Amino acid sequence: KQEVTQIPAALSVPEGENLVLNCSFTDSAIYNLQWFRQDPGKGLTSLLLIQSSQREQTSGRLNASLDKSSGRSTLYIAASQPGDSATYLCAVLEYGNKLVFGAGTILRVKS
Amino acid sequence: GAVVSQHPSRVICKSGTSVKIECRSLDFQATTMFWYRQFPKQSLMLMATSNEGSKATYEQGVEKDKFLINHASLTLSTLTVTSAHPEDSSFYICSAAPQNTEAFFGQGTRLTVV
């Protein structure tokens, strides 16, 4: 059974810092890995999608990497801003089109 | 990207009543849609997979008679919470993913049963 773990569970940083969120998964038989952002009481916003054959994806200040063989992904946020404060979720898409989510990292960027 | 629309975004109902939540794919056809549930400060847990034209597949521990799923067309799936009780209060969210690609999520529905 696929298990997705995110570390740390919560993170508080001053504005301007670069930070790394970690995600690990137990079964490497995945189609892709996706990073999402969730604001309190809201739905999910897709940030980055990495296909299983890819190593990384970049969008603006965000960079996500994937090491499928070791079951790890990282989300790098450069020059963090208070508006980045949210819960960040990673999820792997398994065969059968099933998404398995991690518990998330709650990020707070202090101004 | 593709758009998935979920309605309503928020509903308050009395205990014992039923509530229907709709999930629509607006610009693509989805033979499969997914329903998730999220308790406060917890991650999303898959409840069931909705299959167009056939029965939904429920995850272990999810009562199929409690959470009725209908996927009557390629763009619409509905989740009905029957005889709702306060413990059913939660955040329900649907998603659809064109085969093996990016998953798109609805806005979510905050259900409060009083």
Side-chain angles (χ1 to χ4, degrees):
Chain A
K1 180 184 173 184
Q2 177 78 264
E3 292 184 2
V4 180
T5 303
Q6 289 187 246
I7 295 172
L11 184 61
S12 182
V13 300
E15 182 177 6
E17 270 203 10
N18 302 323
L19 54 100
V20 175
L21 307 182
N22 297 290
C23 174
S24 62
F25 49 96
T26 55
D27 188 345
S28 61
I30 63 171
Y31 280 127
N32 61 49
L33 182 144
Q34 214 166 337
W35 283 93
F36 297 89
R37 170 187 173 136
Q38 185 177 31
D39 293 288
K42 304 285 186 178
L44 275 67
T45 301
S46 178
L47 298 174
L48 289 166
L49 169 75
I50 311 176
Q51 298 291 353
S52 62
S53 59
Q54 297 176 322
R55 298 284 292 185
E56 68 176 337
Q57 283 287 331
T58 299
S59 175
R61 295 183 292 107
L62 305 179
N63 175 277
S65 68
L66 173 64
D67 184 342
K68 186 180 167 185
S69 61
S70 67
R72 295 180 183 175
S73 176
T74 60
L75 177 66
Y76 176 82
I77 303 176
S80 58
Q81 303 171 357
D84 295 331
S85 298
T87 297
Y88 290 81
L89 297 163
C90 77
V92 296
L93 184 66
E94 297 188 307
Y95 300 151
N97 248 11
K98 178 178 174 179
L99 267 177
V100 180
F101 282 85
T105 294
I106 302 171
L107 172 64
R108 181 181 169 220
V109 181
K110 298 172 288 186
S111 56
Chain B
V3 178
V4 174
S5 177
Q6 190 172 337
H7 178 81
S9 59
R10 186 178 295 269
V11 59
I12 301 173
C13 71
K14 290 185 178 181
S15 186
T17 61
S18 295
V19 174
K20 180 185 284 188
I21 303 169
E22 292 187 347
C23 181
R24 295 180 184 274
S25 57
L26 297 186
D27 52 2
F28 68 100
Q29 293 183 331
T31 56
T32 305
M33 291 185 177
F34 301 88
W35 287 95
Y36 294 83
R37 181 175 182 174
Q38 186 179 34
F39 289 106
K41 299 185 179 180
Q42 295 187 26
S43 190
L44 283 78
M45 297 298 295
L46 180 66
M47 297 175 64
T49 302
S50 172
N51 305 298
E52 188 268 335
S54 64
K55 291 182 179 180
T57 304
Y58 290 82
E59 295 298 301
Q60 192 172 8
V62 178
E63 300 175 58
K64 60 182 67 176
D65 295 330
K66 175 80 172 171
F67 299 100
L68 300 180
I69 291 174
N70 184 280
H71 194 152
S73 77
L74 288 171
T75 59
L76 174 65
S77 175
T78 60
L79 169 68
T80 301
V81 183
T82 62
S83 186
H85 288 95
E87 58 265 30
D88 298 325
S89 298
S90 189
F91 187 69
Y92 295 86
I93 192 166
C94 69
S95 81
Q99 190 68 26
N100 304 340
T101 62
E102 185 173 2
F104 298 96
F105 284 79
Q107 303 92 322
T109 298
R110 172 72 59 193
L111 171 63
T112 303
V113 185
V114 297

